[in-house]
Amino acid sequence: MADKLKTVIVEDEELARNLLKSFLKSIDKVEIIGECENGFEGVKVINELKPDLVFLDIQMPKITGFEMLELLEHKPNIIFATAYDQYALKAFEYNAADYLLKPYSKDRLTEAVDKVVERIQKEGVSSDVADKVSDFPKEEYLDRIVVKDRHKIHISPVDQVRYIESMDDYVMIYTTEGRYMKQKTMKYFEAALNPNDFIRIHRSYIVKVDEINEIQQYEKESYIVILHDKTKLKVSKTGYKNLKEVLNF
């Protein structure tokens, strides 16, 4: 770590951003090197400037703070600064440096910065919170999927997802608008998607129920699912059992 913590602020509310900046300017350990109004800017600025510390709001337009973390290549220490307390326990469970609940005092902010300095002195600059936060157990099922593709960020409503295919450490997400690769596990999507709408039919496939046009026997005790566009997907024994339970046949 340099003499000061290189710090980026990601906060959509101007008043909150200005208040945070005014507090931080009086803390000698901090140097503000960037500020962003939304998660899209946050991804670009953090990956380019590689800060030691990021103050991050959670509820923001376009993409949330959690979704933004999934897209980072550089992994700084994170202090969440938010008006919502429901994510606090999970944030600490997954190694966030601190969690500031608005409105917070300058003393509370200074305490959070001191924690980061102490952590860096013990563990180094990098933090694994961005990795762990992407596997947060969701209190609600996903309603959209955010994917970074080179210099573009795609936001696909779950309603547009047709099926998902496992590809080693990645998945290919097939939607009505195209297909997108994302570094996630099938286990994650199996838990994150509404089971009334999506079925795990094979170790390699999760399919949207409304996309299924037909189920055919392929060989003895072997089946395939045929989608409305004629795509054919393998079905395992467990997958066939899941189909029977959800479709009630």
Side-chain angles (χ1 to χ4, degrees):
M1 189 185 89
D3 293 338
K4 294 188 176 185
L5 291 170
K6 294 185 295 181
T7 300
V8 166
I9 298 170
V10 184
E11 166 67 70
D12 66 308
E13 296 179 14
E14 185 177 3
L15 286 176
R17 203 165 58 246
N18 289 338
L19 179 62
L20 177 55
K21 283 192 295 183
S22 69
F23 281 166
L24 289 175
K25 283 179 180 175
S26 62
I27 300 177
D28 293 337
K29 301 168 186 173
V30 171
E31 176 189 8
I32 300 172
I33 61 172
E35 57 180 285
C36 312
E37 296 181 0
N38 58 63
F40 284 142
E41 291 180 12
V43 172
K44 183 175 183 295
V45 169
I46 291 168
N47 285 336
E48 286 182 357
L49 301 183
K50 297 179 172 43
D52 305 312
L53 170 62
V54 171
F55 285 91
L56 179 61
D57 194 5
I58 293 176
Q59 296 291 351
M60 294 185 290
K62 299 184 179 179
I63 58 174
T64 68
F66 291 152
E67 290 170 334
M68 191 207 78
L69 286 177
E70 293 185 40
L71 305 173
L72 293 181
E73 296 165 4
H74 175 68
K75 305 183 188 310
N77 284 273
I78 302 293
I79 295 177
F80 290 103
T82 175
Y84 302 89
D85 62 359
Q86 63 264 42
Y87 304 111
L89 180 59
K90 291 184 177 64
F92 284 118
E93 286 175 351
Y94 286 86
N95 209 25
D98 210 334
Y99 193 98
L100 298 176
L101 187 61
K102 299 174 184 174
Y104 50 83
S105 66
K106 181 184 169 186
D107 288 343
R108 180 66 184 87
L109 175 66
T110 303
E111 179 185 330
V113 171
D114 288 341
K115 284 184 181 179
V116 174
V117 172
E118 184 177 352
R119 169 182 283 194
I120 290 176
Q121 289 173 342
K122 289 181 178 178
E123 304 173 11
V125 172
S126 295
S127 168
D128 57 359
V129 64
D131 288 334
K132 292 183 175 180
V133 78
S134 65
D135 288 327
F136 267 13
K138 304 294 189 296
E139 296 178 353
E140 299 178 352
Y141 294 119
L142 288 179
D143 56 10
R144 63 185 185 183
I145 297 174
V146 180
V147 180
K148 186 172 185 291
D149 179 16
R150 297 182 182 179
H151 302 298
K152 296 180 180 178
I153 296 174
H154 299 280
I155 300 176
S156 295
V158 165
D159 287 347
Q160 294 181 356
V161 175
R162 300 174 56 239
Y163 67 96
I164 298 173
E165 181 179 11
S166 172
M167 306 186 81
D168 296 324
D169 294 333
Y170 291 81
V171 297
M172 185 67 80
I173 303 165
Y174 295 82
T175 78
T176 55
E177 303 299 318
R179 62 180 189 174
Y180 308 103
M181 185 173 283
K182 187 176 179 70
Q183 190 172 20
K184 279 289 186 184
T185 65
M186 294 291 274
K187 184 179 179 181
Y188 166 82
F189 279 109
E190 191 175 13
L193 295 171
N194 190 328
N196 292 323
D197 298 327
F198 290 87
I199 306 175
R200 180 80 177 263
I201 60 170
H202 190 273
R203 60 183 170 81
S204 298
Y205 298 110
I206 294 173
V207 64
K208 187 178 182 183
V209 174
D210 290 346
E211 290 290 326
I212 298 174
N213 184 54
E214 195 175 337
I215 302 169
Q216 284 188 1
Q217 189 166 11
Y218 183 64
E219 294 176 340
K220 185 179 180 181
E221 297 185 353
S222 175
Y223 292 85
I224 58 172
V225 153
I226 302 175
L227 308 187
H228 291 296
D229 70 346
K230 308 303 181 187
T231 298
K232 297 178 181 179
L233 305 177
K234 295 179 180 176
V235 179
S236 65
K237 288 184 179 179
T238 302
Y240 188 68
K241 181 181 176 182
N242 294 339
L243 284 167
K244 290 183 70 173
E245 288 178 357
V246 173
L247 299 178
N248 194 28
F249 63 89

